[in-house]
Amino acid sequence: MNALRRNVLKGAAGAGAVAVAVAAGLLKPTQAMAAWNKAAFESKSVGDALKGLGIASPADSKDITIKAPDIAENGAVVPVEVTSGIAGTTSIAILAEKNASPLVGSFGLAGGAEGFISTRIKMGQTSLVRAVVTAGGKNYTAAKEVKVTIGGCGG
Amino acid sequence: MAEPMRIRATMAGDVADVKVLMNHPMETGTRKDAKTGQLVPAHYITEVTATLNGKTVLDAEIGPAVSKNPFLGFRVKGAKAGDTVAVKWVDNTGDKNSAEAKIG
């Protein structure tokens, strides 16, 4: 959460006004969304996405478990569960390597949250689903292949 | 205003298991409308934060590759039954929503 952005939203008297401002070109979407890591989410490769998150060469780890189907019939909804057995996990990022933009989400954990995230993602095609875990300032990674029968990233 | 969101939080030992279901189209901006052939504008949640009794436990940034009507599950150690879990999100148009639930 970014205090400045909070104020921007408040100052514009709510979300609707911001949307109008964006539409009118008064506010560029990038300004309205300063806190969101646009560069990382729009990266076209796994390497660039990780760079955008400030993660360099994560080490492979057997302590990360990715639970996802071997074959996903519908790429629009692929359940993915990441469990990190690494003590002090502070962040889990999920990437679908062959998506047009690989980064799916980055989940910061604090205040007793365990190294666990469960969600549902879209996958354009068969690819590795990669989890990158940050713990104690170090980065670890693991991946699992999910075969996709029908892609879920467009029409 | 956005559709309501559902939160279910249950205790398993000393760990709270929280499941959140948000109502949101999560349009990527690359899908074409079947009738008009026009691109459907991007519309997706960008940030989700969750607090336990007012203290942040999850601060997530997500992109359009999260499925429609996003599901999010996480676990918090040291929570107790009766504690309050609050979740809020913001999307790329500036729309937002929040909800809270007691751990049962």
Side-chain angles (χ1 to χ4, degrees), chain B residues 3-4 9 12 32 38 45 47 49 52 54-55 59 72 75 83 89 91 95 99 104:
Chain B
E3 296 284 316
K32 280 184 180 152
Q38 299 290 310
I45 294 175
E47 282 177 58
T49 50
L52 174 72
K55 206 172 103 197
D59 187 0
L72 191 57
R75 292 174 183 160
D83 285 357
W89 57 251
D91 75 15
D95 200 1

Side-chain angles (χ1 to χ4, degrees), chain A residues 30-128:
Chain A
T30 47
Q31 288 173 324
M33 315 236 317
W36 190 63
N37 196 335
K38 188 174 160 68
F41 279 99
E42 290 186 351
S43 295
K44 302 294 180 213
S45 74
V46 173
D48 286 349
L50 291 180
K51 208 183 287 172
L53 290 172
I55 295 172
S57 55
D60 284 336
S61 169
K62 289 193 175 66
D63 295 325
I64 303 168
T65 313
I66 301 174
K67 201 170 126 194
D70 294 325
I71 298 174
E73 282 185 17
N74 181 0
V77 185
V78 183
V80 175
E81 251 182 48
V82 179
T83 309
S84 163
I86 303 165
T89 295
T90 51
S91 167
I92 296 176
I94 299 174
L95 301 97
E97 292 203 341
K98 286 195 183 154
N99 275 7
S101 303
L103 182 60
V104 174
S106 166
F107 304 89
L109 304 166
E114 300 214 312
F116 170 85
I117 282 293
S118 169
T119 188
R120 298 192 291 228
I121 71 172
K122 294 176 201 164
M123 291 181 69
Q125 55 179 300
T126 297
S127 132
L128 286 176

Side-chain angles (χ1 to χ4, degrees), chain B residues 3-81:
Chain B
E3 296 284 316
M5 106 172 92
R6 288 214 304 257
I7 303 174
R8 197 164 65 190
T10 50
M11 291 303 296
D14 66 340
V15 176
D17 186 28
V18 184
K19 295 185 171 78
V20 185
L21 197 56
M22 294 160 261
N23 271 296
H24 203 281
M26 297 302 282
E27 285 292 349
T28 58
T30 59
R31 191 176 70 89
K32 280 184 180 152
D33 187 299
K35 279 185 191 149
T36 63
Q38 299 290 310
L39 283 177
V40 179
H43 187 205
Y44 51 89
I45 294 175
T46 53
E47 282 177 58
V48 183
T49 50
T51 58
L52 174 72
N53 293 336
K55 206 172 103 197
T56 300
V57 290
L58 177 79
D59 187 0
E61 294 191 351
I62 63 174
V66 171
S67 300
K68 180 178 172 181
N69 295 334
F71 167 80
L72 191 57
F74 57 95
R75 292 174 183 160
V76 187
K77 205 177 166 73
K80 296 184 299 295

Side-chain angles (χ1 to χ4, degrees), chain A residues 11-27:
Chain A
V18 171
V20 169
V22 170
L26 298 172
L27 258 178

